[in-house]
């Protein structure tokens, strides 16, 4: 049964997402009116104009995986009946513009074999090139990524060698891998660069310019000490009789790694020297950069599984001090360690104060740490409404983005359990789960539209990672979801939306991606939004670099302020909406990449 569950998709509803439509009525129509409409006719067209009218007032994500040419991708978690712990964790996904054409390409982990001496049975990576915003082609072999044999987990993407194209780092079960982009051809430089050793189970990673020298360093979040021998010695069960996977409590955690970029293509491991070896071994599954105290130096937050989450403050020289307990992020709302997986950071109230969202295990509500004007965090899970809505779900990937471009950040959460016997003791807990899609009311209070409508993501998944990008360059943000049973789901955003401004930053003093830059826009009646350029978030994943600002009805941005990682500040004024622009550090003019034109209503159809 275990083998067939993971290897044979007959246990997974193949119709899931096949005719998926997502709608949330934000105006005068209620969810009852939506539910009362007839659905889709046999030709795939909306049979009811009332339904179409209702959709035009809300959110619509169209599942285009097959149309985009991605339906043949299958993740292989390597399960063959021995209940090895890595099988249940899934993998990350990354958007990467590897050929610098402004269309976001998709980088995926294929999985691998966990049988000894069968490492070469599965190619480890797949790269899909974005052809025109609608179609993707598999270019894995053409770019040098075929025959990469490793059991991978998490990505981070950036131009680590400052040559103008984006490279990527893969955290893996055995040895980590660094791939240098040489004009569209990837070269494995793991060994020569000094980042490929360690033989640790690494899960997540982050490019970060810790000392602001213009060269991006690599933080690696390691998970637990694992071996086949250890798993074969354990018997774990939910009901006391049937084999199942073991809890992370059964394993000792691993300390993190930190590789300093020497500026010559090599790295030096300096986690201890940088103050990152916390006395308690961490079990890290999520990491995100955030300059929490706004001093211009990059700090970062680590989401840890079954041990306290950690916040490391940069001391102004590239070394760090762990300040979790003092600032209030060490424990969850109940005063005990949570079980952190994915993590996302953003200003959800548009008041200049960010919140950190952490996905947790079932029976542990999602954590929301809100930074206050007093310089400490408070747990905002109750105020946001997210805590009580997540108590029965197991949260992995978190994507914080403005789905309808109304000016506030919404939160998509990918859910799925890790125990085959989930629900044996608690009827409200299941193995396969529906996601959450929390819509922000503009004040940082969220409602789950999946829960509100039975037709909204009605099929359950064994979902793991999520990431967002504007794949078709139409101004709004689209979504990708991975599933531990094999497929991926590419969701095109066809929502009715507000006006938009997209910014792509280019650094001039190293760190060409401008990772860590802070962008503040002012518009309308004293409205303000903040975005950060980041290299990694969610669960083992990376979203696109451009920053997207939903402007609702505003026709222009009154001012843009950019705090560059170098310490320089740029200001621009009176920028028209519905543009995708590029700003280079030191330039006084912006470059328009694309005009989105009149922001008409999306055309709704089921593909």
């Amino acid at each position: 049964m275990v083998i067939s569950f993971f290897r044979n998709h007959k246990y997974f509803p193949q119709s899931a997402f096949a005719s998926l439509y997502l709608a949330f009525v934000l105006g005068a129509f209620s969810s009852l009116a939506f539910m009362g409409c007839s659905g889709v006719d046999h030709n795939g067209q909306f049979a009811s104009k009332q339904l179409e009218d209702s959709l035009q007032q809300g959110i619509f994500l169209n599942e285009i995986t097959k149309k985009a040419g991605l339906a043949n991708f299958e993740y292989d978690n390597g399960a063959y009946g021995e209940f090895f712990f890595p099988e249940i964790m899934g993998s990350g996904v990354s958007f990467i513009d590897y050929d610098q054409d402004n269309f976001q390409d998709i980088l995926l982990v294929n999985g691998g074999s966990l049988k000894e001496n069968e490492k070469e049975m599965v190619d480890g990576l797949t790269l899909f090139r974005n052809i025109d915003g609608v179609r993707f082609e598999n270019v894995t072999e053409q770019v040098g990524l075929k025959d990469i044999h490793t059991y991978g987990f998490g990505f981070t993407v950036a131009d680590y060698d400052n040559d103008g194209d984006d490279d990527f780092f893969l955290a893996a079960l055995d040895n980590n891998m660094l791939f240098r982009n040489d004009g569209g051809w990837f070269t494995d430089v793991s060994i020569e660069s000094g980042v490929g050793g360690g033989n640790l189970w690494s899960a997540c990673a982050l490019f970060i310019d810790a000392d602001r020298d213009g060269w991006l360093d690599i933080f690696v979040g390691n998970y637990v000490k694992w071996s086949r021998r250890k798993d074969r010695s354990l018997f774990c069960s939910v009901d006391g009789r049937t084999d199942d996977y073991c809890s992370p409590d059964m394993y000792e955690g691993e300390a993190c790694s930190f590789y300093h970029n020497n500026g010559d293509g090599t790295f030096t491991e300096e986690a201890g020297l940088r103050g990152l070896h916390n006395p308690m071994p961490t079990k890290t599954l999520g990491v995100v950069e955030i300059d929490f105290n706004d001093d211009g130096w990059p700090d970062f937050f680590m989401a840890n599984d079954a041990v306290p989450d950690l916040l490391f403050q940069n001391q102004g020289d590239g070394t760090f001090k762990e300040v979790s307990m003092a600032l209030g992020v060490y424990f969850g709302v109940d005063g005990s360690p949570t079980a952190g997986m994915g993590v996302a950071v953003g200003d959800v109230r548009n008041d200049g104060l960010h919140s950190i969202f952490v996905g947790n295990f079932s029976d542990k509500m999602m954590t929301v740490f809100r930074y206050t004007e007093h310089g400490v965090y408070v747990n905002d899970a109750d105020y946001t409404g997210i805590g009580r809505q997540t108590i029965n779900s197991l949260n992995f990937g978190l994507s914080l983005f403005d789905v309808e471009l109304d000016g506030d950040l919404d939160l998509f959460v990918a859910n799925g359990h890790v125990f085959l016997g989930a629900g044996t003791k608690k009827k409200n807990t299941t193995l396969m789960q529906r996601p959450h899609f929390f819509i922000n009311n503009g004040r940082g209070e969220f409602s789950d539209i999946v829960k509100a409508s039975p037709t909204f993501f009605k099929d359950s998944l064994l979902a793991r990672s999520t990431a967002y990008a504007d794949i078709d360059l139409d101004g709004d943000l689209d979504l990708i979801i991975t599933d531990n049973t094999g497929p991926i789901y590419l969701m095109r955003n066809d929502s009715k939306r507000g006006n938009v401004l997209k910014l792509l930053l280019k650094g001039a003093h190293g760190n060409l991606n401008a990772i860590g830059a802070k962008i503040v826009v002012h518009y309308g009646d004293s409205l303000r939004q903040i975005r950060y350029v980041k290299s990694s978030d969610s669960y083992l994943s990376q979203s696109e670099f451009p920053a997207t600002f939903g402007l609702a009805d505003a026709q222009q941005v009154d001012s843009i302020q950019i705090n560059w990682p170098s310490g320089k500040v740029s200001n621009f004024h009176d920028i028209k909406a519905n543009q995708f622009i590029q700003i280079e550090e030191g330039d006084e003019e912006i470059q328009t990449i694309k005009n989105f034109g009149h922001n008409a209503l999306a055309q709704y159809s089921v593909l």
Side-chain angles (χ1 to χ4, degrees):
M1 179 65 74
V2 174
I3 299 175
S4 61
F5 176 82
F6 285 97
R7 296 287 192 179
N8 189 327
H9 285 171
K10 70 180 181 179
Y11 289 94
F12 180 77
Q14 292 297 303
S15 61
F17 291 87
S19 60
L20 174 65
Y21 54 88
L22 307 184
F24 180 50
V25 181
L26 299 177
F29 294 92
S30 70
S31 60
L32 291 177
F34 167 71
M35 290 158 55
C37 298
S38 58
V40 181
D41 67 17
H42 295 296
N43 295 318
Q45 302 299 316
F46 287 108
S48 166
K49 188 177 185 302
Q50 184 182 6
L51 174 59
E52 186 172 355
D53 291 342
S54 297
L55 289 172
Q56 290 182 3
Q57 300 198 25
I59 297 166
F60 184 91
L61 298 186
N62 208 337
E63 200 265 315
I64 62 167
T65 312
K66 184 177 180 179
K67 180 180 178 66
L70 304 173
N72 291 331
F73 176 81
E74 290 288 332
Y75 172 72
D76 185 349
N77 63 26
Y80 63 98
E82 292 215 52
F83 297 93
F84 288 146
F85 190 25
E87 299 166 9
I88 62 177
M89 301 309 295
S91 64
V93 59
S94 177
F95 284 106
I96 176 173
D97 183 12
Y98 84 96
D99 52 2
Q100 303 297 298
D101 64 354
N102 291 314
F103 282 105
Q104 294 293 319
D105 313 301
I106 299 174
L107 185 61
L108 292 159
V109 171
N110 294 356
S113 174
L114 287 174
K115 286 187 177 181
E116 294 168 292
N117 303 318
E118 291 189 2
K119 186 176 181 180
E120 297 185 359
M121 289 185 62
V122 179
D123 282 346
L125 295 169
T126 297
L127 178 64
F128 286 101
R129 177 176 174 264
N130 189 336
I131 301 173
D132 55 9
V134 177
R135 297 171 298 151
F136 290 77
E137 63 175 341
N138 189 331
V139 295
T140 308
E141 185 171 3
Q142 295 94 307
V143 300
L145 294 177
K146 187 174 175 55
D147 297 324
I148 302 300
H149 302 295
T150 188
Y151 196 100
F153 285 95
F155 290 116
T156 185
V157 172
D159 183 6
Y160 81 88
D161 54 358
N162 288 332
D163 68 347
D165 49 29
D166 288 342
D167 319 292
F168 72 92
F169 179 92
L170 174 65
L173 182 61
D174 299 314
N175 294 315
N176 300 323
M177 305 188 77
L178 178 64
F179 292 90
R180 186 184 66 214
N181 187 346
D182 297 318
W185 177 269
F186 288 96
T187 302
D188 177 7
V189 294
S190 312
I191 302 302
E192 63 193 75
S193 66
V195 303
N199 197 29
L200 303 171
W201 179 351
S202 298
C204 58
L206 179 76
F207 278 115
I208 180 173
D209 186 6
D211 50 9
R212 289 174 44 178
D213 63 353
W215 296 97
L216 291 168
D217 313 304
I218 306 173
F219 169 87
V220 182
N222 299 317
Y223 191 38
V224 299
K225 299 183 187 297
W226 175 84
S227 68
R228 295 174 180 83
R229 181 178 181 180
K230 178 175 179 61
D231 270 6
R232 286 170 176 151
S233 70
L234 297 173
F235 171 74
C236 297
S237 176
V238 174
D239 60 12
R241 301 183 306 275
T242 309
D243 278 334
D244 211 322
Y245 293 95
C246 293
S247 163
D249 292 329
M250 304 292 292
Y251 305 85
E252 183 182 352
E254 288 275 18
C256 65
S257 304
F258 180 89
Y259 296 97
H260 176 254
N261 191 333
N262 300 317
D264 59 1
T266 67
F267 293 78
T268 303
E269 207 291 314
E270 296 182 350
L273 294 175
R274 300 281 171 160
L276 298 175
H277 277 171
N278 191 56
M280 176 184 296
T282 54
K283 301 177 182 180
T284 306
L285 290 174
V287 61
V288 65
E289 177 184 332
I290 180 68
D291 180 10
F292 75 87
N293 55 358
D294 208 23
D295 66 353
W297 288 88
D299 316 302
F300 62 89
F301 177 90
M302 296 164 54
N304 297 315
D305 193 0
V307 295
D309 297 327
L310 297 176
L311 177 65
F312 284 93
Q313 179 181 351
N314 198 315
Q315 299 299 287
D317 58 2
T319 64
F320 295 87
K321 178 182 179 181
E322 195 268 297
V323 294
S324 315
M325 181 72 80
L327 269 64
V329 299
Y330 198 68
F331 293 127
V333 67
D334 61 357
S336 64
T338 58
M341 264 70 93
V343 59
V345 174
D347 178 4
V348 296
R349 298 188 190 181
N350 291 335
D351 62 357
L353 298 172
H354 65 273
S355 296
I356 303 174
F357 296 79
V358 185
N360 291 318
F361 205 80
S362 55
D363 296 327
K364 293 275 188 180
M365 65 177 62
M366 185 180 292
T367 308
V368 184
F369 294 119
R370 173 171 161 76
Y371 194 63
T372 70
E373 60 273 15
H374 304 295
V376 297
Y377 289 87
V378 296
N379 198 310
D380 222 18
D382 185 56
Y383 172 84
T384 61
I386 285 178
R388 59 183 176 271
Q389 297 180 78
T390 56
I391 192 68
N392 293 316
S393 57
L394 198 162
N395 324 127
F396 276 91
L398 310 181
S399 284
L400 196 60
F401 66 108
D402 185 354
V403 63
E404 74 274 57
L405 301 178
D406 65 346
D408 53 45
L409 292 171
D410 310 297
L411 180 66
F412 184 88
V413 184
N415 300 319
H417 219 282
V418 295
F419 298 147
L420 300 184
T424 301
K425 295 182 177 179
K426 296 189 177 180
K427 63 180 181 179
N428 291 328
T429 302
T430 59
L431 174 64
M432 307 184 73
Q433 301 178 0
R434 297 170 75 193
H436 299 296
F437 204 168
F438 293 110
I439 302 302
N440 192 341
N441 68 357
R443 301 184 299 274
E445 300 169 305
F446 294 84
S447 297
D448 182 6
I449 58 177
V450 176
K451 184 178 181 180
S453 172
T455 57
F456 200 109
F457 271 99
K458 62 181 178 180
D459 293 305
S460 298
L461 306 175
L462 205 63
R464 291 297 184 257
S465 62
T466 64
Y468 59 83
D470 183 4
I471 60 169
D472 47 7
L473 290 181
D474 67 347
D476 55 24
L477 292 168
D478 312 293
L479 188 71
I480 193 168
I481 309 165
T482 72
D483 190 298
N484 204 37
T485 64
I488 57 172
Y489 303 99
L490 183 63
M491 312 299 298
R492 190 181 69 198
N493 189 350
D494 291 331
S495 304
K496 176 183 177 182
R497 80 282 177 96
N499 295 315
V500 63
L501 187 67
K502 295 179 69 71
L503 279 74
L504 177 63
L505 302 189
K506 296 292 184 180
H509 305 282
N511 185 5
L512 300 185
N513 302 108
I515 291 172
K518 176 183 178 181
I519 309 168
V520 184
V521 303
H522 289 87
Y523 64 103
D525 185 14
S526 302
L527 299 175
R528 174 181 62 175
Q529 292 183 49
I530 297 174
R531 299 286 186 271
Y532 294 89
V533 180
K534 59 186 184 304
S535 71
S536 180
D537 68 352
S538 186
Y539 176 70
L540 318 181
S541 298
Q542 177 151 341
S543 297
E544 68 173 8
F545 280 122
T548 297
F549 295 86
L551 303 175
D553 296 330
Q555 298 296 315
Q556 73 169 29
V557 165
D558 299 323
S559 68
I560 302 174
Q561 178 179 304
I562 303 171
N563 294 79
W564 298 91
S566 65
K568 294 188 175 182
V569 179
S570 298
N571 290 281
F572 300 88
H573 300 277
D574 301 328
I575 308 300
K576 290 183 179 179
N578 297 320
Q579 293 189 84
F580 181 16
I581 64 176
Q582 178 174 302
I583 300 178
E584 297 190 11
E585 184 177 6
D587 285 0
E588 296 182 357
E589 301 291 334
I590 66 173
Q591 304 173 42
T592 300
I593 296 174
K594 181 177 181 180
N595 286 301
F596 298 124
H598 178 64
N599 196 7
L601 294 179
Q603 297 299 310
Y604 295 100
S605 62
V606 175
L607 302 181

